[in-house]
Amino acid sequence: MAQIELTGRVADAAGPSHVAGCLQNGSEKMHRMASGDLYQTYDLGDLRITSLRDGYVDMPIGRLRQPGDKPFGDELPQQVALVDGQLRLSVNAFAIDDGDGIILIDTGTSNAWHPTMGRLPEALDEAGIDAGRVRAVCFTHTHLDHIHGLVLADGRDAFPRLARLLVPGEELGFFRAEARLERFHGMAEPFEAGDPYRDRCRHCRSPWP
């Protein structure tokens, strides 16, 4: 049985560092199938996982931390490239496709923050992913660069066939405080770290809602 393990809050502000999967065979390897300016697609077992770039945000160096929550000083790792003295952090979402429907992990920013973001619809198009196939959205956390992509810049729903919306339980109140997303407040349901998602899976045959 394939299932997705919902991992809960991720600490960094710009995007989740990974998407965790509990698959039928934990030894399966991820194979890159396609890529473009705004996406990379991988096959992992029976799943197709696409990383989608919503854009980027520049942050002060102090946002990057060492073990023990210590900021970096002159010892900033050499591989960390700065842009005008700031960290350039990619804002990403992830589409998990089992062949029947798509679970989207985070949704990007839409037009709710910096103009360097809001490119998720463009990334979906470039990756050949129909937004109408997104049946569930799961948020890693409720920072605005993760949740506001539910609504397009023109005010329309970004995912017209969305059936489930999963929000970390401890942050459900934060989500429901976002006035721009009011029409989704009633749809939102809480989850906790480690909860399995089994709404649609060819292996367990449970239907989409």
Side-chain angles (χ1 to χ4, degrees):
M1 177 185 294
Q3 67 183 41
I4 301 302
E5 181 177 300
L6 304 176
T7 58
R9 185 182 178 89
V10 177
D12 82 74
S17 60
H18 66 279
V19 176
C22 274
L23 302 177
Q24 56 191 25
N25 181 350
S27 65
E28 295 198 51
K29 295 183 179 180
M30 187 176 287
H31 303 280
R32 186 161 71 175
M33 306 303 295
S35 64
D37 291 339
L38 298 175
Y39 81 98
Q40 293 190 58
T41 297
Y42 298 84
D43 278 352
L44 181 58
D46 291 334
L47 301 179
R48 176 155 289 189
I49 300 173
T50 302
S51 173
L52 301 156
R53 191 164 190 246
D54 188 64
Y56 67 87
V57 60
D58 291 337
M59 291 283 191
I61 298 174
R63 296 299 293 269
L64 186 64
R65 298 286 174 154
Q66 304 181 65
D69 199 33
K70 295 192 304 182
F72 282 94
D74 294 336
E75 74 279 19
L76 191 70
Q78 185 175 7
Q79 67 267 30
V80 177
L82 301 180
V83 179
D84 295 327
Q86 296 201 87
L87 296 167
R88 177 155 292 181
L89 304 179
S90 184
V91 178
N92 303 304
F94 298 87
I96 302 173
D97 187 348
D98 75 349
D100 296 297
I102 290 174
I103 303 169
L104 190 65
I105 309 297
D106 293 328
T107 63
T109 313
S110 187
N111 58 341
W113 202 13
H114 294 296
T116 54
M117 305 182 209
R119 302 185 70 184
L120 182 63
E122 184 182 348
L124 288 167
D125 285 345
E126 186 180 308
I129 297 174
D130 179 3
R133 294 191 64 234
V134 175
R135 304 300 305 280
V137 165
C138 176
F139 294 129
T140 57
H141 59 289
T142 56
H143 287 168
L144 57 82
D145 55 325
H146 293 252
I147 64 175
H148 278 278
L150 286 173
V151 178
L152 297 174
D154 63 8
R156 292 180 296 123
D157 288 0
F159 310 107
R161 297 186 66 205
L162 184 65
R164 287 194 73 185
L165 182 59
L166 302 171
V167 181
E170 64 184 19
E171 301 197 23
L172 191 59
F174 295 117
F175 177 78
R176 289 177 173 164
E178 291 288 344
R180 183 172 184 260
L181 303 177
E182 182 177 5
R183 63 183 180 268
F184 297 100
H185 291 175
M187 177 185 289
E189 56 184 291
F191 75 89
E192 304 301 330
D195 285 352
Y197 180 89
R198 294 191 178 95
D199 261 351
R200 184 60 179 93
C201 164
R202 289 195 303 272
H203 308 275
C204 63
R205 297 297 178 186
S206 56
W208 284 106

